[in-house]
Amino acid sequence: VAQLLRRVAGVEVTSVSPNHAEVSIRGLNRRTSNKVLLLLDGRSLRQDFLGTAWYHFLPVSIEDIERIEVIRGPASALYGADAFSGIINIITRDPGEGTSFVAGGIGDHNQGRAVASFTGRTGDLTYHFGTGYAQADNAVLSVGPDRVDQQSLTDSPNIANKKVWANGEVRYPLARKSVATVGGNIVYGDQMVQGLSRLLQVAVDDTYESQVYGSLTTPIGLRLGTWWNHLDGNAGVSYLTPGAIGVVARNVDQEVTDVDLSWSGNFTLLVPQTFTIGAGYRYKSIQLTWLDADHTQHHVGAYVQDVLQLARPLRLQLGARVDRHPLLSALQFSPRGSLVYRFLPDQSLRATVGRAFRGPSFLESYVEFPNASPLRGVSAWGVGDDKLDPESITSFELGYMTQASDLFTIEVNAYYNMVKDAILFTQVDSFRLNDFADDDNPLAQYDTDVEAFPVSSLRFVNERATFNQMGGEVGTRFYPLTGLDVYTNYAIHDTSPANANDVDAVRAKEQQTSLHKVNAGVQYRAPFGLDTSLDLSWVSKQVWIEQVTDRETGVRFETYAVPSFVLVNGRIGYRLFNDRVELGVVGTNLTFNRQRQHPFGQPMDTRVMAMTKLRF
């Protein structure tokens, strides 16, 4: 999915290992990207304890995805907290739609996958069930197998991602044209991800993630939806040094329950309108040994949206949402407005303004963990803050789109954002000898659990500087022949502090995305069975600011440069027996350039996989 998202102008994709990519929209990318809300059929897949999403740990096969919708820009007015810089909504096929199939693949670097998907109907009941398995190795090993001074956390240290999943959904029409849907999914496996701060590769071992959901839709526009997410697993640095402080969390347990009730209807009051009103509740709980204690939270929100057709060519959309976050002292108000002027039947101009926020995650609020240092017997605390302010973004955007021809479409966007109160792991407090005699400073004490003296604490704080973001996107798509699809797009983005004196001199250079990005590709589906596609992405150099160990201050920022790089992915396939059998070969990073996309990430290698699919 992450590789598909590279095709979208303005979407930032950073591969830190072969099966782990961080995704952001219009800048602000990080190793644990937390500014984009990932949804599966409108249900959140966000890992609330980290504030991020795992795109490589989805409980669906890519063949069962019907489409992916991307909203660029703040969307809290409808979706609440965490829809900060955009939304990615993965939409799967409806039960009963399409055909059943089995598919499989095998490739180098221990790549393998097998998928089965069954869909159909029995009377009015429609259903879909799927299952699958996938695995792939890392590009490099963190610790070689012959090391005697270090040992792997997991039984399979070379695995980048290994998972097995299953899903199912049934849909049934009730009386008076109401529709009930129930479903669930589960995924289990091991994976390698990137951590926060100085924590680099993290092994997530024996992890279960499950979701159960249901919804009821009525013909009068009333909809009730609910879903329950559960996560259980282990996490820690990818290797352990015998006798050192172990950065390991066993039996991580997270529960998230959502309930959403909404009504939408059409009426005319002076002008035709589509009005939506709704309210939501979210329960969250976490058990994680890296936190100061077990925690639960209750979140509530309410939203309203009105789409007014002011005139035949002029449409106004207004929306707002109010959220109550248990750790924030004030209600969070998220407005959004959009005016679309269709000055010709197939051409339109759009102006949008909106605000969004991101609340602090469990880790940012409650972490209390002794980090290992180069010296045994010495540690440094990582500390959260339950008094953090939310991150906020205010955005202004202008856009143009034309679909005046069946042969091409053109889209142009320009935006300006103001980002305030970014939450960073940056405040360092060094301990003095007399601090250890102060009973009012519980952190400056000998820690019997890890048998170490802490020398400092590193705390989450709000960035005092306001950052300005400016950029835009230009995209075109051509359809010159039946079955031929050619696209190209360009994006430019710049992030800079409004006042350089308000931010550390090193951090003032922080971009964590490229100034220039170009995507291009061609896909051809021939009537005689040949399928080909080629996608190219070029990004200019990047500047990343990361934390490193410092003997005097404990932690300092250092600048890392990532050179520009080109990524080329391709596929060739052939369809047989009236498209019932499909054979193909997929290749990624076909330039054979082992380029790191993040300074602490793995070098990306070239990979090839042969695949087959049988429909029935």
Side-chain angles (χ1 to χ4, degrees):
V1 170
Q3 298 304 323
L4 289 176
L5 293 171
R6 288 186 186 275
R7 301 173 178 175
V8 182
V11 174
E12 329 282 346
V13 179
T14 300
S15 295
V16 292
S17 72
N19 280 72
H20 177 210
E22 297 292 353
V23 179
S24 67
I25 294 175
R26 294 175 174 174
L28 300 175
N29 205 358
R30 301 192 183 280
R31 279 186 287 153
T32 50
S33 182
N34 54 19
K35 304 294 190 293
V36 176
L37 183 60
L38 176 65
L39 306 174
L40 177 62
D41 293 321
R43 305 180 303 273
S44 173
L45 289 180
R46 183 175 184 265
Q47 305 297 346
D48 288 76
F49 73 104
L50 289 175
T52 189
W54 292 335
Y55 289 80
H56 51 287
F57 214 58
L58 297 174
V60 296
S61 68
I62 200 161
E63 291 92 344
D64 277 327
I65 296 175
E66 179 182 296
R67 66 186 186 277
I68 302 176
E69 295 181 346
V70 178
I71 296 177
R72 293 168 296 195
S76 287
L78 196 59
Y79 293 92
D82 313 316
F84 189 85
S85 61
I87 289 176
I88 294 172
N89 188 15
I90 298 171
I91 299 174
T92 59
R93 291 187 300 159
D94 287 335
E97 298 294 325
T99 60
S100 301
F101 65 88
V102 292
I106 189 170
D108 56 0
H109 301 282
N110 200 26
Q111 294 183 94
R113 70 189 301 266
V115 177
S117 179
F118 307 94
T119 186
R121 63 178 59 244
T122 301
D124 292 333
L125 178 73
T126 57
Y127 61 86
H128 170 264
F129 300 98
T131 186
Y133 173 85
Q135 69 174 41
D137 279 353
N138 286 302
V140 294
L141 266 175
S142 299
V143 177
D146 299 328
R147 291 284 292 269
V148 296
D149 59 330
Q150 293 178 332
Q151 63 188 42
S152 172
L153 176 70
T154 70
D155 296 331
S156 50
N158 201 34
I159 287 292
N161 188 26
K162 179 173 65 175
K163 64 176 182 177
V164 58
W165 74 90
N167 57 64
E169 182 175 298
V170 295
R171 189 169 296 178
Y172 188 76
L174 303 176
R176 299 181 181 179
K177 299 183 179 179
S178 296
V179 178
T181 302
V182 294
N185 53 65
I186 186 170
V187 56
Y188 165 79
D190 304 333
Q191 53 183 320
M192 194 72 70
V193 300
Q194 282 278 330
L196 289 166
S197 185
R198 293 164 294 169
L199 196 59
L200 304 183
Q201 288 199 125
V202 175
V204 181
D205 191 27
D206 291 331
T207 299
Y208 293 88
E209 186 175 1
S210 59
Q211 184 178 87
V212 178
Y213 57 91
S215 67
L216 176 64
T217 303
T218 70
I220 61 173
L222 195 65
R223 183 184 185 277
L224 174 65
T226 182
W227 57 93
W228 167 72
N229 286 24
H230 171 74
L231 176 73
D232 184 278
N234 308 305
V237 292
S238 56
Y239 60 89
L240 301 174
T241 301
I245 297 175
V247 187
V248 180
R250 298 290 183 187
N251 301 317
V252 180
D253 190 315
Q254 177 184 257
E255 309 282 352
V256 180
T257 301
D258 283 86
V259 179
D260 187 83
L261 177 65
S262 64
W263 175 82
S264 183
N266 300 313
F267 59 88
T268 299
L269 180 62
L270 299 180
V271 296
Q273 302 182 43
T274 300
F275 188 78
T276 302
I277 187 170
Y281 164 76
R282 166 171 276 204
Y283 166 83
K284 302 193 297 187
S285 73
I286 184 68
Q287 296 178 16
L288 174 61
T289 55
W290 292 347
L291 307 184
D292 58 359
D294 298 341
H295 290 277
T296 61
Q297 292 182 352
H298 302 271
H299 301 248
V300 293
Y303 55 91
V304 61
Q305 178 177 280
D306 196 7
V307 180
L308 302 92
Q309 196 68 44
L310 302 180
R312 177 172 295 182
L314 194 62
R315 186 180 74 235
L316 175 64
Q317 178 176 316
L318 299 173
R321 181 177 173 119
V322 177
D323 283 275
R324 180 70 176 93
H325 190 294
L327 295 183
L328 304 180
S329 58
L331 293 175
Q332 298 301 306
F333 180 61
S334 305
R336 186 178 187 271
S338 179
L339 185 65
V340 178
Y341 175 46
R342 193 174 293 276
F343 58 94
L344 289 174
D346 298 303
Q347 300 188 56
S348 61
L349 294 172
R350 174 179 49 84
T352 302
V353 59
R355 179 190 179 275
F357 77 101
R358 186 186 75 85
S361 67
F362 277 123
L363 195 71
E364 293 164 334
S365 302
Y366 303 120
V367 65
E368 189 173 289
F369 181 77
N371 291 281
S373 74
L375 297 176
R376 184 64 183 99
V378 175
S379 66
W381 282 104
V383 183
D385 187 350
D386 60 4
K387 300 296 190 294
L388 290 167
D389 292 324
E391 298 181 340
S392 67
I393 182 172
T394 303
S395 178
F396 305 88
E397 182 177 347
L398 295 174
Y400 164 79
M401 177 176 286
T402 177
Q403 295 173 307
S405 171
D406 292 336
L407 300 179
F408 66 89
T409 60
I410 300 174
E411 180 186 23
V412 182
N413 300 306
Y415 59 87
Y416 167 71
N417 300 334
M418 290 186 297
V419 179
K420 297 181 179 181
D421 296 317
I423 298 174
L424 301 172
F425 203 31
T426 57
Q427 180 176 309
V428 180
D429 296 319
S430 299
F431 298 148
R432 300 174 182 271
L433 282 177
N434 59 355
D435 292 330
F436 290 86
D438 185 0
D439 293 336
D440 294 331
N441 191 349
L443 293 181
Q445 305 293 332
Y446 178 74
D447 190 341
T448 57
D449 291 336
V450 297
E451 299 179 339
F453 284 96
V455 296
S456 64
S457 66
L458 184 62
R459 187 180 298 270
F460 282 101
V461 294
N462 289 110
E463 171 69 73
R464 67 176 182 175
T466 296
F467 282 81
N468 295 325
Q469 295 183 308
M470 291 183 288
E473 302 106 13
V474 178
T476 61
R477 190 174 287 272
F478 300 93
Y479 318 94
L481 299 172
T482 301
L484 181 61
D485 183 353
V486 182
Y487 74 92
T488 180
N489 57 63
Y490 165 77
I492 184 171
H493 176 90
D494 178 73
T495 299
S496 60
N499 187 348
N501 295 326
D502 289 340
V503 66
D504 179 273
V506 176
R507 284 211 56 243
K509 304 175 183 178
E510 186 173 30
Q511 290 287 330
Q512 297 193 348
T513 187
S514 299
L515 180 64
H516 306 284
K517 293 172 284 293
V518 175
N519 301 308
V522 58
Q523 302 173 51
Y524 180 56
R525 186 178 175 88
F528 54 86
L530 177 68
D531 289 338
T532 59
S533 69
L534 192 70
D535 296 282
L536 179 147
S537 295
W538 172 85
V539 300
S540 61
K541 66 178 182 180
Q542 300 177 358
V543 176
W544 289 79
I545 310 297
E546 295 290 352
Q547 295 169 345
V548 296
T549 302
D550 185 88
R551 287 188 296 177
E552 296 182 1
T553 62
V555 173
R556 62 179 171 83
F557 289 106
E558 188 165 311
T559 302
Y560 293 89
V562 175
S564 63
F565 63 88
V566 174
L567 182 69
V568 177
N569 299 328
R571 178 184 182 275
I572 185 169
Y574 199 81
R575 291 170 277 115
L576 304 166
F577 307 114
N578 294 322
D579 295 349
R580 291 191 175 275
V581 177
E582 189 172 342
L583 307 174
V585 177
V586 176
T588 57
N589 192 24
L590 296 177
T591 60
F592 300 94
N593 180 14
R594 288 178 60 87
Q595 168 77 44
R596 282 183 170 87
Q597 297 180 22
H598 182 276
F600 296 164
Q602 298 184 23
M604 295 297 101
D605 48 24
T606 300
R607 302 197 168 200
V608 178
M609 176 180 277
M611 304 176 70
T612 184
K613 183 176 181 180
L614 171 64
R615 295 182 176 91
F616 55 90

